[in-house]
Amino acid sequence: MPRATSSLIPLAVLLLAGTIVFYRLGASELQPFDEARRGTSAIEMAYGTAQHFLVPTYAGAPDHWGTKPPLLIWLQAASVRLFGMTPFAVRLPSALVTLGLIALLLRWCRRDWGGYLPAAVAALYLLSSADYLGNHGARSGDFDALLIFFLVAQLGFIHRYRCTGAPAQLVLFGLSVVLAGYTKGIAGCFFLPGIGLWLLLDRRGRELLTQPRLYLVGLAALALITAYYPLREVVDPGYIAAVRHNELGRRFTLALEGHDGPWYAYMEFLAFDEGTKWLNLLLLPALFSIRNSRNGALTLVAVVAVTYLGVISVAATKIFWYKSPLLPLIGLLYGAGLQHWLGSRSWRGRLGLLAFTGLTLCTLYGSWQQLNGRRAVINYVPAPAPHVAAIDAPNFTAPFTLVLHHYQPNARFHLARSRVQGRSIRPVYSTFPPYITVNQTLQPPELAVGERVAVCTTRDYDYLATRYLLKELARAGVCRLYHTQGTKPAD
């Protein structure tokens, strides 16, 4: 391939990826689980509600439900400070690291996979996935895009170290492990069993296992990750107990929050993803390529993919986004198979070219459908939460109390924003929601006579109207602002 043409491939892939990832990035409301919670923590970290940089907060208290380390919250806090308290700013770190992931794949494939094609196919596979473009993916303010970047970086750097023996590659591998751990705790180490197995199976890998510096880097990385937990416990007592309750072991032994499924659940998720299900026809050339390959990088990816799938499949908790780290690996394997077929002068080469063309067209069509709301996305909330009307209404004179029911993290996000903007709005709950901060004790709301109170749902109005005499003061959208003129006698 001419050099000028070859240099256009990464530019075209990154341009396509940037267009898909950033198109209307901030147009939809933050998702209730768990994006709005991350956004609320980011505002509180950025504007001083959090009392310590090691301790993300939610609703003004240390977050003992979302117990992950704070790297994502730090990045989102910086984004919020730079670009404003908006959904776009909350999602920007995930969007940027997705482009970084694709750039990393392109560089790795140029060096060790014989060309850009496996990375291009991996990028197209990622950008075709309905799940990866939706909740907990490339366009979502959650941990997963950042985690996937560092997990794939671990593979690239350990493979480069195996090929070159350069200490810098080993240090970068260790740094990737540390940053993955500071992104999502123990999940940042989930590729390590597969990497270890690959080193045992690979002849040159077994030579690396005799080097003390490999173990020194590994131990140093794990020490830096684990150091966070006692440091946070010092400034946030009870944190380690919350981690034990929410993460260590329980997600493997118990189906938390009703997220259960059969052992083959993740294979179903992968097979029937709305965007990539037809692209799985590329499995045949991928298997052919693996069987005939002497490429250590391809073997590494295949071993890690199978090992990781086994780890998450034996866990009792089954959530669709846990399979997302497999997506770039599957894309690389499919791309290697296509590259092998395209290099053939027989019918396989023509079939490979046809498959690549179809893959590109499917990506463009499927992504366009999803980004314009024509494909259903789990937990997709296109419009602002109804409480935003009350929070931002100029005729709702602050201070006032806003009645919420259940969880409502979207409302909490906008309340945190309004607090920074100088509006004093006190939230109270008509029902006791789970997942506030775990260590908070919630009490039934007590409203004073003469207090201004806003409600935005029929349920909240009924709660208020059965207990207080009300006078309407203002309206904004579906929300009403009332003046409490007295209490009603109990039945």
Side-chain angles (χ1 to χ4, degrees), residues 76-90:
Q76 290 176 325
S79 181
V80 162
R81 292 286 298 199
L82 289 171
F83 301 104
M85 295 172 286
T86 63
F88 174 85
V90 172

Side-chain angles (χ1 to χ4, degrees), residues 25-31 35 39 76 79-80 83-93 139-141 413-414 417:
L25 182 62
S28 64
E29 181 59 84
L30 295 175
Q31 308 305 306
E35 189 182 34
Q76 290 176 325
S79 181
V80 162
F83 301 104
M85 295 172 286
T86 63
F88 174 85
V90 172
R91 294 167 179 154
L92 181 61
R139 293 165 50 84
S140 174
F413 173 79
H414 293 288
R417 170 180 58 80

Side-chain angles (χ1 to χ4, degrees), residues 355-395:
F356 182 70
T357 303
L359 174 60
T360 303
L361 294 176
C362 286
T363 300
L364 294 173
Y365 178 69
S367 299
W368 176 82
Q369 278 191 313
Q370 178 157 328
L371 297 179
N372 287 282
R374 302 190 181 195
R375 174 192 286 163
V377 180
I378 295 176
N379 285 341
Y380 182 71
V381 183
H387 302 89
V388 178
I391 293 168
D392 292 338
N395 58 334

Side-chain angles (χ1 to χ4, degrees), residues 153-316:
Q154 292 173 22
L155 303 186
F157 290 130
I158 195 63
H159 183 261
R160 291 302 300 162
Y161 178 63
R162 175 257 195 192
C163 293
T164 66
Q169 299 296 325
L170 182 59
V171 171
L172 289 172
F173 165 73
L175 181 61
S176 299
V177 174
V178 172
L179 293 175
Y182 272 78
T183 299
K184 206 172 181 181
I186 193 173
C189 301
F190 278 4
F191 276 11
L192 296 184
I195 292 172
L197 179 59
W198 170 72
L199 289 172
L200 284 171
L201 295 174
D202 184 78
R203 180 181 61 81
R204 295 180 66 181
R206 288 192 294 273
E207 295 175 4
L208 298 184
L209 290 174
T210 65
Q211 299 178 0
R213 61 184 176 186
L214 178 67
Y215 300 98
L216 288 174
V217 168
L219 290 173
L222 294 177
L224 287 172
I225 295 170
T226 55
Y228 170 77
Y229 295 88
L231 287 173
R232 178 163 168 180
E233 180 71 19
V234 170
V235 295
D236 178 19
Y239 170 67
I240 291 179
V243 171
R244 286 200 301 265
H245 176 81
N246 192 42
E247 293 185 46
L248 298 179
R250 294 186 80 245
R251 289 181 182 268
F252 278 86
T253 58
L254 298 174
L256 297 186
E257 301 159 21
H259 295 297
D260 57 359
W263 64 269
Y264 52 85
Y266 291 108
M267 287 182 274
E268 284 189 332
F269 290 148
L270 290 166
F272 298 107
D273 183 296
E274 184 66 27
T276 61
K277 58 186 179 183
W278 295 111
L279 307 181
N280 292 321
L281 295 173
L282 297 175
L283 178 62
L284 179 61
L287 292 174
F288 184 84
S289 178
I290 294 170
R291 189 188 68 177
N292 293 278
S293 175
R294 296 183 179 179
N295 183 347
L298 191 152
T299 307
L300 168 62
V301 167
V303 170
V304 170
V306 172
T307 306
Y308 177 79
L309 179 60
V311 169
I312 60 175
S313 294
V314 299

